[in-house]
Amino acid sequence: QGERGVSGNPGYPGKPGQQGETGVKGNKGNYGFPGLKGQKGSKGDTCENGTKGDKGDRGDAGEPGVDGEQGDKGEKGDTGEKGYCGEPGGRGAKGERGEGGTKGEKGSKGEMGVEGIQGVDGKQGEKGERGSKGEKGDLGPAGMMGPSGPKGVTGSKGGRGAPGKKGSRGAKGARGDTTKLLRSAFSAGLSKPFPPPNVPIRFDKILYNDQEDYNPSTGKFNCSVPGAYVFAYHLTVRGRPARVSLVARSRKVAKARETLYGQEIDQASFLTILKLSAGDQVWLEVARDWNGVYVSAEDDSVFTGFLLY
């Protein structure tokens, strides 16, 4: 399509002719220059009973009006076809030099280069200063044995030598006398709850008492074999507090208590080692108003002791 041509001057208005037949629609002409605005005519007299005249010819196009306010944003149009790639632009001018960058990290050590050519032997250096005296050298090989000297004076007794090798096993000895092994142990349970205070608790439900060192009628253990003994108890406590003392040789050697009230139930345990002589007695007892030691078909209270060695 060529460039737009120059608009021609408007033609002179012709006389109105008779209305001819409608001609064939011609091609759209080019837009002409806008005509000059005519002067406003004077207002004619008002006709009272005038008939409406025929519609006049369309006036010439007026000058373009003042720009209107911006309309609302229209809907997004369809995506247009991809345009052709333009030709590459020419090389731009050289840019200014940038600021200096920060120092980079140290690079990794490079691989070892090819071994260089061996250099020429250097000249012999000057004689160095005399060094310090070296350490004593190793003992040299033994020399030839010399002739026997005169007999010396008797020396002092030497230290004890290393132990000799283990000898062979000797013959089996004769059978010795059999020593009687000493034993002493007991374990007994309580049959009635809440024992009386300040007297030995009578654990009358025997669990073990082969040596009969424990007396269930008195609640006391009687030592028949002197040695170290282990004593322990496991007591059920219910309804009231309990203060338990382990008595040996009529002296309270260990004391413990369990604070309990109401219908609560708990267990109290204790273990110790005592050195006893033959004839010593050991038992358990509770204090006044602290005798909550309990027993039932489902709960036991047990006192135990045995010879350790």
Side-chain angles (χ1 to χ4, degrees), residues 2 22 41 120 131 138 184 191 219 222 258 265 270 274 283-284 301-302:
T22 304
V120 182
D138 298 332
S184 179
S191 60
N222 300 288
E258 178 72 18
I265 188 168
F270 184 81
L274 298 178
W283 67 87
L284 294 180
S301 293
V302 179

Side-chain angles (χ1 to χ4, degrees), residues 21-84:
E21 298 178 357
T22 304
V24 181
K25 186 177 182 181
N27 296 328
K28 186 175 182 180
N30 298 327
Y31 290 100
F33 292 108
L36 299 174
K37 184 176 182 180
Q39 295 178 354
K40 186 176 182 179
S42 59
K43 187 175 182 180
D45 299 332
T46 304
C47 180
E48 296 179 357
N49 294 321
T51 59
K52 189 176 181 179
D54 296 331
K55 186 176 182 180
D57 296 332
R58 185 171 183 177
D60 297 329
E63 294 181 354
V66 183
D67 294 339
E69 297 179 358
Q70 186 173 355
D72 298 334
K73 187 175 181 180
E75 298 179 358
K76 187 176 181 180
D78 299 333
T79 305
E81 298 180 358
K82 188 175 181 181
Y84 296 104

Side-chain angles (χ1 to χ4, degrees), residues 19 35 38 59 75 103 165 172 192 204 222 258 260 268 274:
Q19 186 174 353
E75 298 179 358
K103 187 176 181 180
K165 294 182 179 180
K172 187 175 181 179
K192 295 180 181 180
D204 51 359
N222 300 288
E258 178 72 18
L260 201 65
L274 298 178

Side-chain angles (χ1 to χ4, degrees), residues 182-197:
L182 302 177
R183 293 187 178 94
S184 179
F186 78 96
S187 186
L190 192 65
S191 60
K192 295 180 181 180
F194 312 126

Side-chain angles (χ1 to χ4, degrees), residues 193-197 238 240-243 286-294:
F194 312 126
R238 183 176 185 178
R240 64 187 77 171
R243 176 171 288 171
V286 291
R288 183 181 177 183
D289 300 330
W290 290 73
N291 62 335
V293 178
Y294 182 76

